[in-house]
């Protein structure tokens, strides 16, 4: 069984700690994970902006890099969903039937991280310990496009010491939407402000999700608001919570769950 | 001349202005959340809801696949029932036809009941140019017309106005167009409704000609179906001598059994009611009962263009329930006017470019007026996959035949793409990003990304990328 990590370009450059946490967690669960260094980007920005030729080129690259693996694990619901949702259409639009076949062949082996944990490895309690108040935002992709359902909640509930609180209006989009936040910054910012307000209302010290793109968006707002209010809510990819054990202790600088108050 | 959306700015500009209007935002949020809640309760009552959606989508797809023969059936049945059918390829043809039909009656003041299509084609201004005044009688449409305003929602066109604003419009405008508002009018809803009733009743009783839209056209009997809440539509449809129904060609349903499916979906999804208070059906002319002259104007105006789009044609299934805009987080923050059309929200973002072609900056901006969150996919009673159509239209704007292109963006993405596709360049770029941290301005990203940082802090760029860490530590083992 050869397992590869597709870390995604955003995690590679801006959130390497999520990639490292994925490696730590998978090793703890007995998975020997490989990182093929030729990997690049899933092409989501191209795809969402309408550039299918570019998406098809990145799809070809993805298939070349990961074709030899039995499983490809992706710590992102939106990037992890790209092969299944976009690659075949992009390949067809590029008039490349060979690529269409290769895409259909690889798609069943590409797994978003939480699905890999619960459905492939069959675990819920991953031995994590995280004694802080956490709220979870189901990103639109993980909620609707490739629904993860209860999986992230089941994984989080099994974490020792955690105080998991529900996020009000959690199903509402944070306003990121890639291209959308660049083309329509005013509307995107208004959506994000509401999301950040709901997050702060939970009293959580950490906001978790399965997409660092959305967390970067909400985190940008939380940092700005927090700097004014004197208390910043941190954002963490869910895997960073799952990777921590009692030996790691509490996260320095974060209030303990028992002390976390509204 | 009444206001129109002609020359409207592209979405980002119109939307940015709307997000700063706090009263608008409060009005839209209150209204959409109220309807959302009512809809959710009534949908939950039906264990067969998902089956109804499947049936409705399949029925509409059948209609669209055989539209030519269904339309001929409509014409045959309406003619047999004593009506006259007219065909209009575009807005200009439709407006000329309706104007000529009204002129033939010699009337100068006519009534209208809510018809988005006549708004789409700009009928009011065409009639006005011919010296004919057309007064809206649907309450919300009348509020929009009295206020010289524009509609912002397909079911509740005055959704962006609150009670106090409506009272002010009534007091200021009613007297200029007929019976004035009663003295001492407050913003109490029953009082506002009574003021509207008195003002509009005068119009119904005087008017000899009425123009209506339609929710459905039943092909097997040539029956026009109008669904509404107030009964004002029924007054229009029954009191005038001449009735002119202006209807889009996609409104056909084959039989009455098919209509049943849509009537079960429409009210629950649109207003959170089990059944609409008024469902009026009429077929041609009945001697001695209701209008004695009936014209049906069938309008294309871009619908066959949309029909030719393999992915986009599903937008023609729309039954205008408004659920997609009620659930939309973008619409909630911008209101309907930002979309520059009588069709706002998610359906507007796809239907307008499909009808008109995504060839000017306004229509080309609409497919990008979405975060692709997909909430609309879940509520549409005819299962339109908005996210699929949005992506298809973006592809047409970015790479297809659309006359508008985005050269700057294209060049930027091509550059990024070139780097991403070549491992060596990518590795170098990632390393550069890690060391470029201090060079990136702290508070504002450069160029087109500047807007992003208006309301957010810039993320810190870590010193070491994941791939550098993996290489340095041999995958964390050293
Ligand atoms: S697109 Fe669907 S949800 Fe939106 S108005 Fe039309 S039928 Fe209703």
């Amino acid at each position: 069984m050869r397992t590869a990590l597709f870390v995604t370009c955003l995690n590679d450059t801006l959130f390497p700690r999520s990639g490292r946490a994925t490696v730590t967690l998978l090793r703890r669960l007995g998975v020997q994970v490989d990182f093929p260094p030729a990997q690049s980007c899933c092409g989501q920005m191209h795809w969402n902006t309408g550039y299918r030729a570019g998406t098809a080129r990145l799809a070809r690259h993805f298939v070349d890099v990961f074709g030899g693996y039995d499983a490809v694990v992706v710590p992102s619901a939106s990037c992890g969903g790209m092969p299944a949702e976009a690659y075949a259409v992009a390949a067809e639009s590029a008039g490349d039937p060979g690529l269409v076949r290769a895409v259909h062949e690889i798609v069943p082996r590409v797994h978003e991280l939480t699905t890999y944990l619960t459905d492939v490895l069959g675990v819920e309690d991953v031995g994590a310990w995280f004694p802080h108040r956490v709220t979870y935002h189901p990103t639109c992709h993980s909620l609707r496009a490739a629904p993860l359902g209860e999986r992230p909640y089941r994984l989080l509930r099994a974490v020792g010491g955690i105080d998991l609180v529900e996020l009000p209006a959690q199903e509402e989009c944070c306003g990121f939407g890639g291209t959308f936040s660049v083309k329509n910054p005013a509307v995107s910012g208004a959506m994000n402000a509401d999301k950040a307000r709901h997050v702060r209302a939970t009293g959580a010290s950490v906001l978790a999700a399965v997409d660092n793109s959305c967390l970067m968006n909400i985190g940008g707002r939380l940092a700005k608001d927090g700097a004014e209010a004197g208390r910043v809510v941190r954002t963490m990819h869910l895997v960073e919570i799952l990777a921590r054990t009692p030996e790691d202790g509490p996260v320095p600088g974060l209030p303990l769950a028992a002390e976390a108050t509204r | 001349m009444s206001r129109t959306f002609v020359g409207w700015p592209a979405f980002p500009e119109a939307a940015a202005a709307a997000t700063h209007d706090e009263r608008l935002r409060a009005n839209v949020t209150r209204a959409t959340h109220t309807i959302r809640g009512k809809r959710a309760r009534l949908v939950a009552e039906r264990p067969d809801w998902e089956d109804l959606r499947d049936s409705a989508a399949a029925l509409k797809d059948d209609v669209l696949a055989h539209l030519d023969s269904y339309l001929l059936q409509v014409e045959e049945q309406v003619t047999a029932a004593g009506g006259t059918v007219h065909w209009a390829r575009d807005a200009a043809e439709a407006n000329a036809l309706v104007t000529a039909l009204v002129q033939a009656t010699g009337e100068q003041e006519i009534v209208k009941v809510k018809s988005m299509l006549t708004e789409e084609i700009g009928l009011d201004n065409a009639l006005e140019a011919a010296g004919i005044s057309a007064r809206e009688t649907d309450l919300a449409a009348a509020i929009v017309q009295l206020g010289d305003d524009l509609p912002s929602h397909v079911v509740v066109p005055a959704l962006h106005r609150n009670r106090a604003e409506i009272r002010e419009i009534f007091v200021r405008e009613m007297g200029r167009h007929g019976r004035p508002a009663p003295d001492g009018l407050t913003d109490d809803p029953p009082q506002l409704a009574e003021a509207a009733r008195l003002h509009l009743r005068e119009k119904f009783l005087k008017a000899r000609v009425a123009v209506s839209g339609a929710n459905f056209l039943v092909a097997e009997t040539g029956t026009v179906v109008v669904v509404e809440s107030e009964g004002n539509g029924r007054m229009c449809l029954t009191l005038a001598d001449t009735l002119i129904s202006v209807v889009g060609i996609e409104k056909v349903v084959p039989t009455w059994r098919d209509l049943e499916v849509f009537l079960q979906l429409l009210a629950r999804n649109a207003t959170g009611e089990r059944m609409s208070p008024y469902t009026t059906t009429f077929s041609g002319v009945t001697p001695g009962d209701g209008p004695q002259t009936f014209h049906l104007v069938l309008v294309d105006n871009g619908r066959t263009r949309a029909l030719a789009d393999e992915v986009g044609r599903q937008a023609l299934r729309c039954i205008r329930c408004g659920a997609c805009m009620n659930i939309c987080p973008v619409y909630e923050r911008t209101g309907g006017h930002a979309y520059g059309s009588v069709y706002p929200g998610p359906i507007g973002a796809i239907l307008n470019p499909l009808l008109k072609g995504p060839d000017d900056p306004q229509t080309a901006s609409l497919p990008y007026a979405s975060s692709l969150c997909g909430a609309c996919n879940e509520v549409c009673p005819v299962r339109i996959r908005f996210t699929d159509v949005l992506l298809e239209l973006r592809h047409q704007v970015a790479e297809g035949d659309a006359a508008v292109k985005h050269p700057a963006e294209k060049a930027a993405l091509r550059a990024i793409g070139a780097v991403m596709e070549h491992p060596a360049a990518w590795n170098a770029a990632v390393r550069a990003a890690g060391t470029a941290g201090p060079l990136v301005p702290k508070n504002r990203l450069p160029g087109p990304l500047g807007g992003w940082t208006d309301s957010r802090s810039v993320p810190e760029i870590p010193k070491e990328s994941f791939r550098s860490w993996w290489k340095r530590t041999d995958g964390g083992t050293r």
Side-chain angles (χ1 to χ4, degrees), chain B residues 1-4 95 98-99 110-112 115 117-136 141 145 211:
Chain B
M1 292 284 273
S2 39
R3 283 178 74 200
T4 67
N95 288 333
V98 177
T99 306
I110 68 169
V111 287
K112 264 176 72 191
S115 152
L117 177 53
T118 58
E119 183 80 36
E120 174 191 325
I121 61 179
L123 178 65
D124 283 8
N125 282 336
L127 290 171
E128 208 177 308
I132 299 159
S133 151
R135 298 309 295 174
E136 295 287 353
Q145 190 183 38
V211 170

Side-chain angles (χ1 to χ4, degrees), chain B residues 192-213:
Chain B
L192 292 175
E194 183 60 18
R197 193 172 289 126
L198 294 170
H199 180 82
L200 293 173
R201 185 102 2 145
E202 189 184 71
K203 307 251 175 266
F204 295 129
L205 294 176
K206 272 208 307 232
R208 316 287 301 272
V209 178
V211 170
S212 89

Side-chain angles (χ1 to χ4, degrees), chain B residues 154-155 266 269 314-315 317-325 344 346-348 350 376 379-384 386:
Chain B
V154 298
V155 175
L266 181 55
N269 224 48
Q314 57 186 303
R317 295 181 197 151
C318 173
I319 58 172
R320 313 278 190 263
C321 73
C324 56
M325 51 209 79
I347 185 61
I350 59 174
C376 43
V379 297
C380 178
V382 287
R383 288 203 193 282
I384 293 172
F386 297 89

